Amino acid sequence: MKAVRIIEWGQPVQIEDVPQPAPGSDEVLVRVRAAALNPFDLAVVAGYVQSMLNTPMTPGTDLAGEVVEVGADVTDLKPGDEVFGYIPMRGGAFAEYAIAKPNELTLKPRSLDYVQAASVPLTSLTAWQSLFDVAQLQSGERLLIHGAGGAVGSFGAQFAREKGAYVIGTASAEKAPIVQEAGVDQYINYQEERFEDVVSDVDVVLITARSEDLVTRSFDVMKPGGRLVASSLNPSAEEAEARGLRASGIMSQPNPDQLTTIAEMIDAGKIKVFVDHTFPLDEAQAAYDLLQTGKNVGKVVLTVG
């Protein structure tokens, strides 16, 4: 089968023919139809997590496709099921076939095609777990999302809106259309104004960018007892506690129950999915290059087969 391969850290990815994997007793073999890129994939190629991975390897965490074969101990899925999911850390999604655990997959939203479905898992789970598992966002609270035009931020805005929170979102002018489609109550173009000049009394802050400066500045607009969650860094819990606040990072985990709930919300028309550009599998490096620029407005997805 064809697969994207990292041969050497920090170098362009290659397309190689590799053996098709076979599922173990507790595994599922998926015929991949689409696989989405995330900022994490850039970090993997660059070698930032090479202490936990070995080359050569097939990267990729987000996928959508059909179940081809299941191991003897798998009972929740069967061949022919159309699924989507998130394979953490070890990767393998950027290939014609991939191995996943049953708890990493669920039935894909009926209303989405494979490209749209592949763009959902990691970023939607990160937003969901940040807001509800960690921050315990409640109806009526004020939420500030930094990077509301990105995948995590746009999902977070929509989840919070459905929860009944008041949503404030910062984003560049280029991503304003996504922020507005996500239904934020207040949009701030961070290129033109500082959020702390127009925002106050925030209960929850979600930061999707790697910016310690945003953490400190956000502390200044939060209510006592406010909760800050950062998806791309570990904010200072000590500084937050000294201010009467809470702050934490998050490492999102596969969760089929949460992903099923998200799929149901998508099928009910409550959540929109934003895709910017697709590339065939053999143009994977071009997809990486686009994601590296940060100019994509929506997800970048590889199509397979």
Side-chain angles (χ1 to χ4, degrees):
M1 69 172 189
K2 287 186 177 181
V4 176
R5 301 287 281 172
I6 299 173
I7 307 302
E8 184 178 348
W9 304 118
Q11 298 301 310
V13 297
Q14 306 294 321
I15 306 298
E16 292 188 339
D17 287 317
V18 299
Q20 180 178 312
S25 61
D26 62 342
E27 295 177 329
V28 177
L29 178 65
V30 178
R31 171 67 169 96
V32 180
R33 296 297 183 182
L37 275 74
N38 294 292
F40 175 74
D41 296 303
L42 297 178
V44 171
V45 169
Y48 292 133
V49 292
Q50 61 181 281
S51 62
M52 295 176 279
L53 299 169
N54 297 312
T55 55
M57 67 163 291
T58 301
T61 61
D62 276 359
L63 59 79
E66 300 116 16
V67 174
V68 175
E69 184 181 349
V70 301
D73 298 333
V74 177
T75 58
D76 294 338
L77 295 169
K78 65 183 184 303
D81 284 345
E82 296 182 344
V83 295
F84 74 143
Y86 158 50
I87 304 170
M89 188 58 73
R90 69 182 186 277
F94 296 168
E96 292 181 319
Y97 293 87
I99 293 291
K101 300 289 187 179
N103 68 344
E104 297 164 352
L105 301 171
T106 194
L107 299 180
K108 82 171 185 65
R110 297 183 304 276
S111 59
L112 299 186
D113 61 25
Y114 287 119
V115 167
Q116 295 167 319
S119 70
V120 174
L122 174 56
T123 49
S124 69
L125 287 172
T126 299
W128 186 278
Q129 292 169 12
S130 296
L131 295 180
F132 303 131
D133 293 351
V134 180
Q136 298 289 306
L137 179 71
Q138 302 297 313
S139 176
E141 290 192 313
R142 289 168 60 83
L143 166 68
L144 171 61
I145 300 179
H146 293 296
V152 173
S154 61
F155 276 123
Q158 294 177 87
F159 294 155
R161 180 197 65 206
E162 289 299 313
K163 183 70 173 180
Y166 182 89
V167 184
I168 307 159
T170 71
S172 65
E174 292 78 11
K175 296 190 176 181
I178 286 182
V179 176
Q180 291 160 356
E181 280 201 67
V184 303
D185 298 286
Q186 181 180 353
Y187 161 62
I188 300 169
N189 181 346
Y190 69 79
Q191 296 165 319
E192 295 182 353
E193 60 183 343
R194 290 167 56 86
F195 69 87
E196 55 265 57
D197 293 336
V198 292
V199 176
S200 61
D201 296 324
V202 172
D203 297 285
V204 175
V205 175
L206 173 59
I207 297 178
T208 65
R210 294 188 66 85
S211 172
E212 296 286 354
D213 178 61
L214 276 181
V215 174
T216 301
R217 291 165 60 196
S218 295
F219 285 157
D220 293 335
V221 304
M222 297 175 68
K223 289 180 181 179
R227 296 89 72 197
L228 181 148
V229 184
S231 64
S232 299
L233 51 82
N234 289 312
S236 172
E238 292 76 14
E239 181 182 356
E241 186 175 359
R243 293 170 173 253
L245 307 169
R246 287 192 289 131
S248 61
I250 182 172
M251 181 70 73
S252 55
Q253 300 296 325
N255 188 308
D257 293 335
Q258 291 176 348
L259 203 55
T260 296
T261 297
I262 293 167
E264 292 170 350
M265 294 173 72
I266 291 170
D267 283 338
K270 297 178 179 180
I271 304 296
K272 296 180 180 179
V273 177
F274 304 100
V275 176
D276 178 85
H277 207 98
T278 64
F279 293 84
L281 187 69
D282 59 7
E283 295 180 16
Q285 185 56 50
Y288 274 92
D289 292 342
L290 174 59
L291 189 65
Q292 185 71 60
T293 68
K295 294 181 179 180
N296 55 296
V297 182
K299 294 286 289 189
V300 177
V301 182
L302 299 176
T303 57
V304 186

